Structures are given as structure tokens and as C-alpha cells.
Amino acid sequence: MRAADADRQQVAARLRAALDEGRLDLGEYDERLQQAYAAKTYGELDLLLTDLPDVPAQAGAAVVPAQGHETRRWLLGLWSGWVPAVAVTTAVWGATSLAEGYAVYYWPVWVAAPWGAVLLWQTVAGLASGEPRRHAEQQAEERAKAQAKEHARQLKRERRALGTDEAPGTPGRPG
């Protein structure tokens, strides 16, 4: 039976948990992660987990934030540039109006309206297509990759501290 993207994400979360527990090294994790995203069937995904114990359900749940939070974060990211830009241009307009002694033409509308219309279109289209969820998944994946890199750096530092730059069992090294 063919696997869905959600199934691949679940396997990726279990692999990430196995890496965090030290059951996989970074090379194995990377290889299996690539295979997971390339898998087309449940059988291919199951093969990636056969030698790993079951991971608690909460490990997979931490991959993507809760539904309400992901939409809120996505909207904040989308609109976060517009609000300060409109505030600054309005402040400049206000200072100009005070200096003139009367309310001059509200020219910040030429910044706020077109940009706001584009953002409104992006918001409606993004909400309709599920963009907040994809964005949250992408952010979670990037965080996981950064954590894996940091874990690999830490392992390398530990090996150096023990006096070996290679993994145990490497030719020419004891282990």
C-alpha cells in the first residue's frame, strides 16, 4: 500500500527520536531519513524501523506545533514587516502634520494599501492551501536538522576529548 506524506513525517520523527537516544549515529540517521522521504510504500517505511524499539507517541507529536499555534505563527511571520512599516510612515506623516500645523494628505496609504492587499491575498490563499501546516513542518524539520548537527558536533568533541577522532571500530583505531 502506498504511503502518504504524514506517514513519512511520522517515520522521520521516530528516526529523530532514535538519534536523540543514541540508537542511530548521524550517518545512519541521514541515510534512513533520505530513504524515508523517498519511500513509496508502507513496507519501505517499516524496513527503516525494524531494528528500533517503539518510540513513545509524544516524540512524534512534538514534530509540529498545535493547530492554532501554527496558524498564528505563520500569520505573525507574514504580517510582521507590514505593521512596523505602516507605523513608521504614519509617525513621519504625523510629525509632518504637526510641523505644518494641519493634517497633510495621508500619503502612508500608498505604502499600506498595496502591501496590505498583497498580504491579504497571500493570507487567504495560504490559509486555503494549508500553508501554515507546511510552514510549521518545514520549521520543525529545520530545527531537527540543526539539533542533529549539534549532536554530531558534540559527539566529535567527546571523541576528541577521549583522544580519538574516529568512531570505534574504524580501521587503524582501537575499539
Side-chain angles (χ1 to χ4, degrees):
M1 202 149 98
R2 294 189 65 93
D5 287 339
D7 302 317
R8 291 182 196 93
Q9 288 288 334
Q10 187 176 13
V11 169
R14 288 185 64 193
L15 292 172
R16 203 169 307 117
L19 175 69
D20 291 342
E21 293 173 352
R23 297 182 193 280
L24 295 175
D25 65 29
L26 189 59
E28 288 175 300
Y29 168 74
D30 187 45
E31 182 179 323
R32 289 187 191 201
L33 189 63
Q34 288 176 12
Q35 291 172 357
Y37 284 114
K40 293 185 177 17
T41 65
Y42 286 116
E44 292 172 2
L45 290 174
D46 289 341
L47 286 174
L48 299 172
L49 303 173
T50 55
D51 61 339
L52 298 173
D54 286 338
V55 178
Q58 72 186 69
V63 173
V64 180
Q67 180 70 25
H69 296 297
E70 66 191 24
T71 301
R72 189 175 326 149
R73 285 186 183 130
W74 179 74
L75 286 171
L76 284 171
L78 187 64
W79 286 85
S80 64
W82 184 82
V83 172
V86 172
V88 167
T89 56
T90 300
V92 170
W93 169 81
T96 305
S97 294
L98 282 174
E100 291 291 325
Y102 62 93
V104 296
Y105 173 74
Y106 186 71
W107 54 267
V109 72
W110 294 106
V111 174
W115 190 1
V118 168
L119 288 175
L120 185 61
W121 175 259
Q122 288 178 334
T123 299
V124 171
L127 290 173
S129 69
E131 185 61 31
R133 180 102 176 135
R134 280 194 297 275
H135 180 67
E137 289 171 354
Q138 181 182 18
Q139 293 294 320
E141 196 171 304
E142 288 172 7
R143 280 192 304 275
K145 286 180 182 178
Q147 288 174 346
K149 281 185 179 181
E150 180 56 35
H151 184 67
R153 283 188 207 113
Q154 185 174 355
L155 289 175
K156 190 173 183 178
R157 285 191 295 267
E158 289 173 4
R159 283 194 299 258
R160 280 190 189 145
L162 294 173
T164 176
D165 288 337
E166 302 293 328
T170 304
R173 296 280 182 188

